[in-house]
Structures are given as C-alpha cells and as structure tokens.
Amino acid sequence: MSDYLFYPGCSMESSAKAYYHSVMSVCKSLDIKLNEIDDWNCCGATEYLSLDRMPAYALIARNLALAEKQANGSKTVVAPCSACYLNLSKADHYMNEDKAFGKSINEALSAGGLHYTPGELSVRHLLDVVLNDIGLDAVKAKVVKPLTGLRVAPYVGCMLPRPDYGKRYSDSEHPTELDDLLSALGAEVIDFPLKTACCGGHMTQIGPETAFELIRRLISSADEYKADVMVALCPMCQMNLDAFQSQMNGYFKTNYKMPILFFTQLMGLAFGEKSEKLGFGSEFVSAHEAMKRIGVHTPIPEDIKPEPKKPAGLPMPPPRTKTGQKNTIGNKEVSK
Amino acid sequence: MSADENKSNTKKTAGAKERVGVYICHCGSNIAGVVNVGEVSKWAGENLIDQGVVVSRDYKFMCSSLGQELIQKDIKEQGLTRVVVAACSPHLHEKTFRNACKGAGLNPYLCELVSIREQDAWVHTDKVAATEKAKAIVSGGVARVVHHEPLEPLYVPIHPATLIVGGGIAGIQAALEIADAGFPVYLVEREPSIGGHMAQFDKTFPTLDCSACILTPKMVDVGNHPNITMLTYSEVQKVDGYVGNFAVTINKRARYVKTKDCTGCGVCWEKCPKKVIDDKFEAGLGYRKAVYTPFPQAVPKYPVIDDINCTYFVKGTCKACEKFCPTKAIDFTQKDEIITVEVGNIILATGWDLFDARRVTNYGYGRLANVFTSMEFERLSNSAGPTGGNIVLRDGKTTPKSVAIVHCVGSRDKNYNNYCSSICCMQSLKFAHLVHEKTGATVYNFYIDIRTPAKAYDEFYQRLIEEGTLFVRGKVAEVTDAARNPGEEGKLIVQVEDTLIGQQRRIPVDMVILSAGLEPRYDSKAVAKLFGISCSADGWLIERHPKLDPVATMTDGIYIAGCVQGPKDIPASVAQGAAAAARILGKIQQKEIALEPIRATIHEEQCSGCRICNTMCPFTAILFHEDKMVSEVNPALCQGCGTCVTACPAGAISGTGFSNEQILSQIEGLLLLTLDKKKETAVA
Amino acid sequence: MTNAVSVVDPPSSQTRREDPALLHEVSLRTPGKSHIEMCIQCGTCGGSCPSGSAMNHTPRAIFAMLRAGMRDDVLKSNTPWMCVSCYYCTVRCPQEIHITDVMYTLKNMALESGMVQDSTAFDFSKTFIHYVENYGRSFEIGLAGIHSLTHVKLATRLLDMAPMAIGMLTKKGMSPLPPKHIKGINDLKKILNRAKELEAA
C-alpha cells in the first residue's frame, strides 16, 4: 500500500468531477492511498502570482505547511492538476533555493500558526507516481479490458514537463511518460508534434482569439494524425479543449469533434470499471463514438488507417536511448 | 633553561649562521599603493636580525635589470647566503630571481620569493592590516629560507622518438614536421585510416578549397615517410615513464587482413554481402560493408573487418572476402597485438566529437526527416558521399527549394554547452554558399552573432550577403512540421523571433541544417587520466597557460595540439601541431632536459607500505616495491605538488623544497608578530 | 491574429527618462536566482512564445527595455498579461533565465504603478482572488459570470457562451453557488495579510 498526501485542487470539486471520480477509482485499483490534506486552500493557479509575490507564495505554502503537519511517514504530496502541482513544487523549490525568501514566507505563515520546512516534502504529479512508484508492470497487470484499437493522442500540456526543476520527466518538449502509460493500457498511441504546446490557460477569459488559436492548433494536429480521442492530465487543459471546442469551431468555421478525456478515465476503463463511474458523459464533446469502437472489437477499416511510412532514401539517425546516452562509435557501443 | 628557550636559542643560532638579504618590491603602485613597503623593509632590517637578516631594501621594480643587480651586488659584497624577495607570485618571477642569484654565484634554490601582491596588496583594502600582513609574510619567508638547501636540477636524457596520438590534421602536421627534421615518429590512430574529420568535409572555408584535395597529399606523405611508423586501428593502453623516457603500450587491433599481402584492390568489399550503416565516416547517411576502408583515399589502404557486424564473426558463415581475395590476405585468426614503444615526448591530437543534436528536441533532429546535422550535410555535399554530391532531402531524390541553416545548436547554451564552438558561423556561411551553388535554393541563416574573426573571414560573410543569403538574427525557437498557416503544409517550419524587427516569424523551408557544436571526445577524461594530464570541466584538455603556452601541459613531455585543447579551425590546428612539433624538436636537440628538483622523497625506514600515496598521486609518480613493501617516488615524474606529503599517515614523506622543517618554520615566522603581540598583552 | 506594434516609438521632443535601477529591482523581486542580467538577446523566448504575436513587445524586447531602464514602457506593455505560463521560454533560454517568473514580477509591478493599459487580465485575477481570499477556494462559475458581465467586449459573446454555461451546470454538474469556505479561513486571511505587509516592506 503506497501512502500519499493528496492535494486535489479546486477543479476536482467543480469542473473536473470526472477527473476526481476516475482518480479515486484508479487509485483504489492500484492500491494508492490518498490522505487528503486537511483544510487545504486554493493554490492560486496563475492568478495570484500576478498580483503579489509574497501573498501568492504564502497562499501556496499554507498547503505545504498543512501537509507537513499531517505527514505520517509519507513525505510525498501528490497533485493530479498540473497547475497545482507546479505551484506547490515551485514554492518548495524557491523557498529552498532562496533562504531569505523562505524565511519571509514562513514569517507570513506563522501569522496563521503554521510553518513549512523547505525541502521537507516532495511534490509530484499523479502521472509521475503511477509510472515511477507503481510501475508500468503493475499497471499492465491490472488491465482486464485492453484499449486495443483506440487511437489516443497523449496531450501532456505545458506545466508538467516545464520547468521541471526536479528533473522528473524524460524531456521538456517531447516526453514519453504518458505515451508509455497509454501503451501499457493497450491503446494505440499517436505521436503528434504538439504534445506539450500550451492550451492557452486563462486566455479564454482574457484574450479569447489567442486562446481559440492555441486550442485549434492542438485539436487540428491530433485530428490530422487521426486520433480518436485526446487525453489530458490537467483540468484546465481538458476544459479548454473540451468545453471551448464548439466556440473555437464557431470562430474558425471548423467542425472538429475531438473528445477530450482524462488519462485516469482511460485507465479506469482498462481496469474494467464501468464508464459511468469514471465520469463519462460529463464531457462536452461526447466520447461515445470513440468508446463504441473499443466496446465492440471491430477491426479498423483500411481507409481510416494512415499509410505506414516505408523507409526510403537516406537513413534516419537512430533514436536516443532513454537510459543515459549511448553513442555508437564505430560499431562499439560506448557510454557518454 | 626551559625546553622552549633552548629551542629558540637553537633557532637563533641556526639563523645567525646564514646571511639573509630581504628585498621588498613596490611593483609600481600594485603593492606600494596598499602596503607601506618602506615600513616593511625597515621593520625587517631591524626586527629580523636574529633570524639572519643582514640587509633589507625596497625598490620600485625588483624584476627589472636594476632590481636584479641590487640583489647580485649584495650577494657579492655582503656575502649573502640566502635571499628573500617579497613581490609578486612565484608563478611569474620565481625563475627571474633564481637566475639572478645564480648569476651572482648563489645556488638558485637558496632564493625564496614570497607573494605580497596576489596574497596581500591585491586582495585587501585596509592598508594598515595589509602592511602588518606583509611583515608577517616576509618574516615567514625569512624563517623558511634558512632551512633551504642548495639543489641541483635533475638531468634526464631525451629519447629522440615521439608519439603522436591522433591522425587528424593537427597530428599529421606535427608528424611531418618532426619526421622531416630527421627524427622517428609513431603516429597512433583509432580509426582504420588517418585523416580525421577533415577527410569528411566537402569544402573548407574561406578559400573553398576541396578538403580532401589539400589533406590527401599530406596523408600520402605521412604514409610514405621513412621516419613515420603509422599505427592505425590502434589505441594507447598504458603510459609509463616520464619526460624523455616514456614506455607506451599500444593495442594494435586485429584488422583480419595481412597487410604485407594486401594490395588494396578492393575485391573483398565488393564481394562482401553484409551492408551496414556507416555511422562514422558517412555520419550515418551512407552504407559500408563489413570489410571496408573508410574512404577511397584511405591511408593506409588496407581494409579492416568489422567483427561486430561481419557474418563470419556473428554466425560463422560466409567468408566471401577470403574466397575472393587474389593474394590470400584475409586472416580470420588474426589477434590484437600489444606492442610497447619507447619515446621521449608525446603529442595528443585526438580531435573532437559532434554535439548530439538529438538532445535539442525542439529542433526535431531524429524525429523530422529533413533536419540534418552539419556532418550529414558535409557528406551530402561531398562528391564522394552517399548522394554523389547532390544536395537532396532524406528521400534521396528531391532537391530542396528552401534551406534553413541554424547557428549555435548546442553551443553558447547553458542547457547543453556553455562555450562557443568557434567554427560554426563560418561553417554555416560555407553551407549557405554550397546550397546556393548546387541547388539555387533560397537560404536562410538564423544566428545570434556572426563570428568571423580570422583572415578573410569577414570578407567571406560579405560574399554570402552578396550571394543573396537571407540572414535572420534570432536563435531558432523550434522546428516543427505542424502547419498552421497556408503555405506551411508539407514543409518544415522554422519558428523564430526576428530580433531586429521584434516580431515572431514562421518560415517554411524544405530542409533544415543544424550547425551542431564541437564537443570533446566522449572518452577525453579517460584519455587525460591515461596520460596524466588534466582536462577542464567541459572535457577539453588543459594547456599550461591559456595565453602564453597553449600547446604544453602541466606534465613535462606531454603536448596537446588541435581541437583536443578547444574548438578551433584548420589553420589554428595546423599551427598548434607545428608548434608542438617545434617544442619537441627543441628538446630533442638539447639531448637532455633539466627537471625541477622540487619533489617529494619517501623515507624508507618510516614507510609502512600502506600505499595510500600511490593512488593519491595525480602524476602517478609513486611506485611500490613489492619486495621491500615500501613506496618510492620517481623524481622525474614528481611535480612537487605535496599531495602525498600530507596524505601519508606516518609522515614518512617530505619534500625537497617543502620539507616539514621549512613549512613549520614558515608558519612560525608568519605568526611572529601575532605571538609577540600576545606576549606584550600578556605581560601588560 | 493581431500584429505586433513596432518597437520603436516616433521621436518626441521629450527625452525618455531612463531608470538604471530597473533591472536590479526586477531581479530582486523575482524569487530564486532569475539570472536576468545574463540575457544575450538571442530571441529564443520571443520565438517560442505561443502568444507572442499578441504582445506589443516580445519577451526579449522587454528584457532589452529593462536593461535600458525604460520603466514606463515596460509597465505599460501588455506583454506580461499575455503570458500563458507555458514555460517554453524558461526551458529553452540558453542563459537559463527564469523568464516566466519575471513576467509575474512585471505583472506585480505594473499593478502597483497603476500603468496597466488594458485591465481585462488584471480584473480577472482580482475576481479570482476575491473568492480565494474569502472562501479559501476558487469559484469558477462566479468568476466566469462576473468577468463576462463586467467586460462589455465579452458580453457580446454571451450568446455563444450560453451553451457552454448551461453545459457547465448540467453536464459537469458544477454548482452555481459559491463554495463552502475552508475551516481555517481566518488563519488564511491572517497569513495573507502578513505576507502583504512583508511584500510592502
């Protein structure tokens, strides 16, 4: 049984209930025990930081202080929302790096009877915990209904792989973590180029034209690569791509119908849980058609499948291996 | 009399035996601006009489001829037996003053230079405190120097042969210079042929000479030279010995070809059925066979069999080359041969590796087909390359109509390598020219700065502007195939901020060439350790002095030349190769070399054989005698760093020139003032 | 897509006042080691920014202006408000400058100076913060509602947004009522007030 301090974030109770239900279901299957931080407050998203540095970080740090108080052996805070995860980990990082700053924040916290020791807790996203603590083998073992034939575009978003002060992800622009997880669930992973391009964040409220353009890029790329669904791991990304899709369609006169799901929803399905329990049906762009495809095991018609690229002409350089960097010098593999 | 008083009496007597001259340098205002040199000189003359000081002077510039003559005059007239000069760092003028003393008939090692500039005047602002510190430093110097002994440098003979590691242009140049002067050279090269990276290039900047055309005559000279022994497909395994007397163990890897029988006819590689991607010479863009020579003009002409890919070695079948060889030169039973050569000096000219552009994921190399690295482009453009000199896309057929050349890939970037790779701007301009010439395509160069410092370089840049190259000042943010606007479908889009306009631009092109930076060889740290020299944090080998001595290293007898010391262009590599050769020829002509007598000695009776010092020695200068179970310092290799002296738990090691007695006396001298003051306050 | 405004202002008879302390001030107010003095003006940030074309100055231009001490121009610029916090600039910057965090600092400074030209972003943040400070949680429906209604431009889009608003209530089951406040709301208020005092110091 793995024990974690859980920071849900405000969206889990409002716009991302589907995420919440699927997270609970998946954690139960994988034996991840989540101890919700008692009386946690909003992390401030990207809004609080605009106004004032100290109050913004004090707001975030209150959660870290509460978590530290509650910590009972477990020293890891897990957050399923990328923005919450980034805020919490940034606060811890800066309080640690800049000692004077850390002291000031703690001074503010003391007004509420709290204190946080920088570096005390480790802050991680749920994806990170599933991959590195639980492991892909354990995930594979739980799969009873592999998502065979489902073409999934893994949309990682921007705040998870960047700035990655803790160096937890394979790459800041084209990470493979979500791809690996989806492959383990049996899905066909679409390697589309905009995996970590920004969804626009709060721009839907501030500068809608810019936001719609960013949303359009993502959806059109996934569509170009013939994905059935896009999978997200942040409530903001999911909301932007899903809830604002029809407005984006209206603005550009396009007709995309790309369902956007949370990765835990697909995990739950693969683990055999019923779709109603995983928040299916709450999305704006329905995932019904795409799910029908895997509910019934029909082979994919030839005309929908894109042609596999035949290697021709000059050879491509070999892919970088994940473990370290091996150079082939001459024909001997030597490590750098 | 108490023990302490006794000791101090003996000290007085020891000091009194010597006649010490103290000279305080003003160094213009460098020292005199902070330290009151007159006061220090006066103080030394009055207060250090018990320590042996008979004359104490100060002068504006001790290092000048007049300053030196001051010392020489006093040695002769006052019968000085020890000299202390308080001036700049010994790194600069220790030799100057030692030679001055020598000139006056005093053993140079009886002169001590203490630094009151780098260690005092230059690092303090409090003038009073700095002056007191200067007094302490001088006092320490005086206390130490009376324990100095006259020393003679160690003379070792220089073996006339030279080892050059690395057969690129720098190594080739050095080899030819030394061999032409009439001395033997061993040239060791890891690849089957000499030539290095220069053999892979198409044209060289700024003259646009064909690279192979200017290189191959030198390669042929090396191959034919009676004084050069080429050891290709070989690697150095061990280096023993010291300057003038190195014993180097070399592994001559098995070629599986009997070189005395092989004529280089090429039937073997014609008949060989096994094709593999040539990721060395062809930069992964072309193929070679399992039995191959790297390129047609290879020197030596003998092929090698790649035993990792050869069907015979993998599965036990085939042997087509053996069947078809007209002179029966194939020998699958050949083994690696270990040989040892004796040389007097070594030059390391092992070159560079290309930065792995796959690391910069936002440029898409390895993921997007038509993104190429600089070396891949050289092979495309080279008429002996995989496309016969045609610049085409990855499909092998299509000529690009627009090409983007990206500067600074993996260089000047704290995420990868912080340094500038020196040649990429010129290389990028060269590529632009070649693309214009061969395809007529539109060319964009994306840069942060255009670095064209050497002769005819900036003129080359202007030529490229005239040719119609479109220069955009901006470091490329990303290369993507995700089209957004009309006109971008099916192209590679370079997204960049054109900083001179202040706007983001998306420029669709057919082909992107990344000017990837130069990196040290992947095993440069291991090679440095093998030869007993240091490399920097980046991995480049360290020269003795970055401004004044770029080809020597801190280890006598080992020289570095070419890119192994840092990124540079061909003329600079050639110059360094020649410079290293000239230094070595100078040493060989002298027939013997004088080594500094400052080194460590192990007192056998006190040595317990624990061997802690053996591994600590950065110059691998300590040997262990199994029979006597004691360690011994090789005086020729020892550089007198003092590491072993401190490491020895038994205190069995002392240094000539830094003995325990000398150091402890210096400490007591440094504390003289402080102790005196304490005594005063205690009494008061 | 909006075009960026030219960086160069037309010449005026009044010489621009430069503030040499500006760069240092921004550096101090940004948490951690932000390295902003290391900028070599390479343009990677400007090239990477997804909303770069909507900004009147690219991030790189802002850094050049910081160095030139152009306080007013920087604080009036819409650049920090267009930042989506995607961190592309931060990870790609060859001098490892924490650009995104500097953008947050510039937001803070712009608000303090009162020079913000378009208050849309600022108002959104203020509304968000109002809920957090009074309930300890964010309130998305309220936030979206108030923001849309107070910004006339967006009000014309109300018709387009209606289906989404309804969807939020029905499909997503979001509550139209403000959230229950956290137990420690008074402590939170004390913490934030103390932090504000420290910031002002």
Side-chain angles (χ1 to χ4, degrees), chain B residues 65-117:
Chain B
S65 321
L66 290 171
Q68 294 177 49
E69 278 165 26
L70 262 181
I71 302 176
Q72 291 175 325
K73 196 157 171 277
D74 283 343
I75 292 174
K76 293 194 186 119
E77 293 177 5
Q78 306 249 12
L80 294 182
T81 58
R82 298 286 187 275
V83 167
V84 173
V85 181
C88 53
S89 162
H91 274 293
L92 299 165
H93 278 303
E94 187 170 65
K95 228 197 225 161
T96 313
F97 297 115
R98 282 194 178 157
N99 282 338
C101 292
K102 190 162 165 206
L106 183 67
N107 182 292
Y109 295 94
L110 299 175
C111 168
E112 173 76 4
L113 170 54
V114 291
S115 171
I116 55 168
R117 191 182 73 171

Side-chain angles (χ1 to χ4, degrees), chain A residues 10 13-15 17 39-40 42 47-51 53-54 90 94 97 107 162 173 205 247, chain C residues 29 33 86-88 92 101 108 111 125 129 133 136 138 140 147 157 172-173 183-184 194 199:
Chain A
C10 301
E13 296 177 342
S14 59
S15 59
K17 286 213 183 75
D39 207 37
W40 56 271
C42 175
E47 307 313 328
Y48 226 102
L49 286 161
S50 319
L51 245 41
R53 185 179 57 136
M54 293 278 190
K90 254 184 21 172
Y94 286 136
E97 189 187 54
E107 207 187 309
R162 297 189 290 272
E173 311 226 2
Q205 307 302 316
Q247 284 186 59
Chain C
R29 292 180 66 153
K33 298 193 189 79
C86 75
Y87 289 89
Y88 264 142
R92 291 177 182 173
D101 290 322
N108 301 162
L111 285 169
S125 300
I129 287 162
E133 288 188 346
S138 67
E140 281 160 295
H147 187 76
R157 283 181 42 232
K172 296 238 173 210
K183 286 182 283 186
R194 184 82 189 98
E199 181 73 49

Side-chain angles (χ1 to χ4, degrees), chain B residues 12-318:
Chain B
K12 283 191 200 152
T13 341
K17 276 210 209 106
E18 307 301 339
R19 296 174 64 76
V20 184
V22 170
Y23 302 88
I24 321 283
C25 184
H26 294 218
C27 195
S29 62
N30 274 312
I31 299 177
V34 180
V35 172
N36 186 334
V37 288
E39 188 186 315
V40 176
S41 170
K42 192 157 169 278
W43 176 87
E46 287 168 8
N47 291 285
L48 297 177
I49 296 178
D50 286 338
Q51 276 76 354
V53 173
V54 296
V55 59
S56 174
R57 300 185 199 283
D58 61 276
Y59 186 65
K60 266 214 155 28
F61 291 104
M62 283 307 301
C63 56
S64 64
S65 321
L66 290 171
Q68 294 177 49
E69 278 165 26
L70 262 181
I71 302 176
Q72 291 175 325
K73 196 157 171 277
D74 283 343
I75 292 174
K76 293 194 186 119
E77 293 177 5
Q78 306 249 12
L80 294 182
T81 58
R82 298 286 187 275
V83 167
V84 173
V85 181
C88 53
S89 162
H91 274 293
L92 299 165
H93 278 303
E94 187 170 65
K95 228 197 225 161
T96 313
F97 297 115
R98 282 194 178 157
N99 282 338
C101 292
K102 190 162 165 206
L106 183 67
N107 182 292
Y109 295 94
L110 299 175
C111 168
E112 173 76 4
L113 170 54
V114 291
S115 171
I116 55 168
R117 191 182 73 171
E118 281 84 342
Q119 294 189 5
D120 190 11
W122 272 1
V123 294
H124 297 299
T125 46
D126 180 342
K127 292 190 184 170
V128 173
T131 307
E132 291 302 295
K133 182 169 173 180
K135 289 177 190 166
I137 292 175
V138 168
S139 159
V142 169
R144 172 198 233 281
V145 82
V146 297
H147 294 287
H148 279 207
E149 280 163 22
L151 299 170
E152 294 300 325
L154 190 65
Y155 286 95
V156 292
I158 300 277
H159 194 292
T162 308
L163 173 73
I164 299 180
V165 184
I169 186 63
I172 288 173
Q173 183 67 27
L176 287 173
E177 303 253 352
I178 297 178
D180 283 345
F183 296 101
V185 172
Y186 296 98
L187 181 59
V188 172
E189 165 57 52
R190 180 154 64 184
E191 294 303 315
S193 164
I194 58 173
H197 282 293
M198 198 176 159
Q200 296 174 278
F201 300 156
D202 178 25
K203 305 274 195 300
T204 55
F205 56 75
T207 51
L208 297 171
D209 280 310
C210 150
S211 186
C213 306
I214 55 177
L215 175 65
T216 43
K218 289 198 190 242
M219 284 169 60
V220 168
D221 278 349
V222 168
N224 291 338
H225 209 296
N227 285 334
I228 300 181
T229 309
M230 265 195 323
L231 298 163
T232 52
Y233 212 49
S234 307
E235 280 182 276
V236 172
Q237 282 193 328
K238 200 152 80 90
V239 180
D240 286 318
Y242 48 93
V243 57
N245 300 275
F246 290 107
V248 184
T249 311
I250 299 169
N251 178 18
K252 287 179 65 176
R253 290 166 57 193
R255 288 178 116 93
Y256 306 106
V257 170
K258 287 181 280 194
T259 54
K260 59 178 174 49
D261 296 326
C262 173
T263 59
C265 67
V267 170
C268 52
W269 64 75
E270 249 181 67
K271 299 291 181 197
C272 175
K274 185 67 192 276
K275 221 158 110 166
V276 286
I277 290 186
D278 182 353
D279 57 0
K280 288 246 70 186
F281 192 78
E282 297 287 16
L285 224 48
Y287 297 89
R288 60 164 173 78
K289 298 293 180 69
V291 57
Y292 70 104
T293 55
F295 51 98
Q297 310 99 317
V299 170
K301 60 185 186 231
Y302 314 117
V304 307
I305 298 182
D306 161 18
D307 54 13
I308 294 184
N309 287 301
C310 166
T311 313
Y312 172 72
F313 284 103
V314 171
K315 288 198 270 207
T317 53
C318 181

Side-chain angles (χ1 to χ4, degrees), chain B residues 379-575:
Chain B
R379 295 314 302 158
L380 279 180
S381 184
N382 192 308
S383 51
T387 57
N390 292 315
I391 296 175
V392 289
L393 298 179
R394 196 72 70 162
D395 63 4
K397 311 183 281 195
T398 320
T399 308
K401 297 227 175 30
S402 49
V403 177
I405 302 174
V406 182
H407 293 220
C408 300
V409 177
S411 304
R412 302 184 64 188
D413 193 331
K414 290 200 165 77
N415 298 307
Y416 308 105
N417 292 316
N418 204 11
Y419 52 82
C420 167
S421 290
S422 172
I423 51 95
C424 328
C425 274
M426 282 304 290
Q427 177 194 75
S428 304
L429 294 174
K430 174 182 82 175
F431 289 166
H433 171 81
L434 290 169
V435 170
H436 282 311
E437 195 182 55
K438 296 192 176 190
T439 66
T442 309
V443 180
Y444 296 89
N445 276 54
F446 297 94
Y447 67 96
I448 310 176
D449 297 294
I450 298 283
R451 296 191 161 175
T452 51
K455 197 168 186 175
Y457 281 17
D458 208 65
E459 293 88 321
F460 190 65
Y461 172 41
Q462 290 170 41
R463 173 180 178 168
L464 265 302
I465 303 177
E466 275 171 19
E467 287 183 8
T469 315
L470 298 166
F471 286 94
V472 177
R473 188 192 179 273
K475 183 168 150 85
V476 171
E478 62 182 272
V479 175
T480 176
D481 59 350
R484 223 190 271 174
N485 308 315
E488 291 182 0
E489 311 293 325
K491 301 259 197 199
L492 287 176
I493 300 119
V494 173
Q495 189 172 299
V496 66
E497 181 192 348
D498 186 333
T499 63
L500 299 174
I501 309 176
Q503 280 198 35
Q504 207 179 74
R505 287 173 71 178
R506 281 174 65 93
I507 300 174
V509 294
D510 294 324
M511 175 194 246
V512 174
I513 306 170
L514 303 177
S515 276
L518 270 50
E519 284 190 331
R521 291 280 185 187
Y522 67 91
D523 58 351
S524 69
K525 292 196 162 74
V527 166
K529 194 146 194 282
L530 186 65
F531 288 89
I533 60 176
S534 337
C535 62
S536 66
D538 293 321
W540 306 108
L541 298 189
I542 296 186
E543 62 287 298
R544 188 173 273 250
H545 192 283
K547 303 289 274 185
L548 299 176
D549 209 349
V551 295
T553 62
M554 296 302 266
T555 305
D556 287 327
I558 315 249
Y559 298 87
I560 51 181
C563 286
V564 74
Q565 184 255 356
K568 54 178 66 67
D569 55 15
I570 294 169
S573 299
V574 167

Side-chain angles (χ1 to χ4, degrees), chain B residues 662-680:
Chain B
Q662 288 164 358
I663 305 251
L664 290 170
S665 309
Q666 187 166 21
I667 295 174
E668 288 199 22
L670 283 167
L671 294 172
L672 185 71
L673 275 169
T674 329
L675 292 173
D676 276 348
K677 278 206 176 66
K678 281 217 163 75
K679 260 192 241 151
E680 281 168 27

